Amino acid sequence: MARPRGGVEEAARLVARAGCVLVLAGFGVGGCGPRVSLDGFLGDPLGAWRAFAGWLRGVRGARPGPAHYAVAALEAAGVVGGVVSLCPDGLLGAAGVRGVVELHGSAGDAVCVRCGRRVPVGEALREVEAGRVPRCPCGGLLKPGVVLYGEPVPEDALREAVGLARRCDLVLAAGPGLGDYPAAQLPLIVKERGGGLVVVAPGVTALDGLADLKVEAPVDEALPAICEGALGVLGRGGGCRGP
């Protein structure tokens, strides 16, 4: 795999010098899921489930990539103090990242809109395949366990994410999906406290104007290279590209 050059060395130095790095991860399987609103789901739950079904099956068969393993290696080395994931595919956890705040929910679950009960998403998908709207034993609709557009993020996850932003002094924001609020406020919290922001993504993101450094490259190329550079500066272990 090609190794990006522009900005990577400087990004690695910033990461190595930081006291606490917060990773804001906006990358994952299939653009992190279909863009379905809560109103759209409630108006046509079976249609919404069918829109999600292919992506959810893809997530269940997906494996972590180099970017996921790079984040895990930085965390294991004590460089990363927390990870906020904007993609509910669970691949950061599968790569070995321990401190993941799932701000946009989990693709592994279905959740009842009435009582909040969670069940494995496979149970709901079997109902969809049979042409039925998945329902909870309480009679409520089951929806995918991800946060839909127009739906608030989980309060406990947001509280934890804000707490990380108040402790860390550098945000490493990676991937194209970085502009949605409330996640986009996290770099602002760090910047207001005198911290820094490194953005890693191909093309334009909503955070580019705030960034101290922009590495314009695919995350699967750039993050492992930044990881290797930072750990090299610190004289610590590797594993930045996975097993």
Side-chain angles (χ1 to χ4, degrees), residues 55-132:
W55 178 76
L56 289 167
R57 292 189 189 97
V59 166
R60 295 172 78 191
R63 297 291 181 269
H68 302 98
Y69 288 115
V71 175
L74 288 169
E75 183 192 51
V79 176
V80 165
V83 180
V84 176
S85 176
L86 308 182
C87 194
D89 55 24
L91 292 182
L92 284 163
V97 180
R98 295 183 178 182
V100 183
V101 179
E102 299 282 7
L103 199 60
H104 289 174
S106 170
D109 298 327
V111 60
C112 178
V113 300
R114 178 185 294 173
C115 72
R117 177 179 179 175
R118 289 183 174 270
V119 301
V121 73
E123 294 181 15
L125 288 175
R126 285 192 289 273
E127 291 294 292
V128 174
E129 289 168 357
R132 296 187 293 265

Side-chain angles (χ1 to χ4, degrees), residues 132-158:
R132 296 187 293 265
V133 175
R135 289 192 176 272
C136 178
C138 78
L141 292 171
L142 290 175
K143 74 171 213 40
V146 306
V147 175
L148 304 179
Y149 286 86
E151 184 178 19
V153 301
E155 289 184 8
D156 56 345
L158 180 58

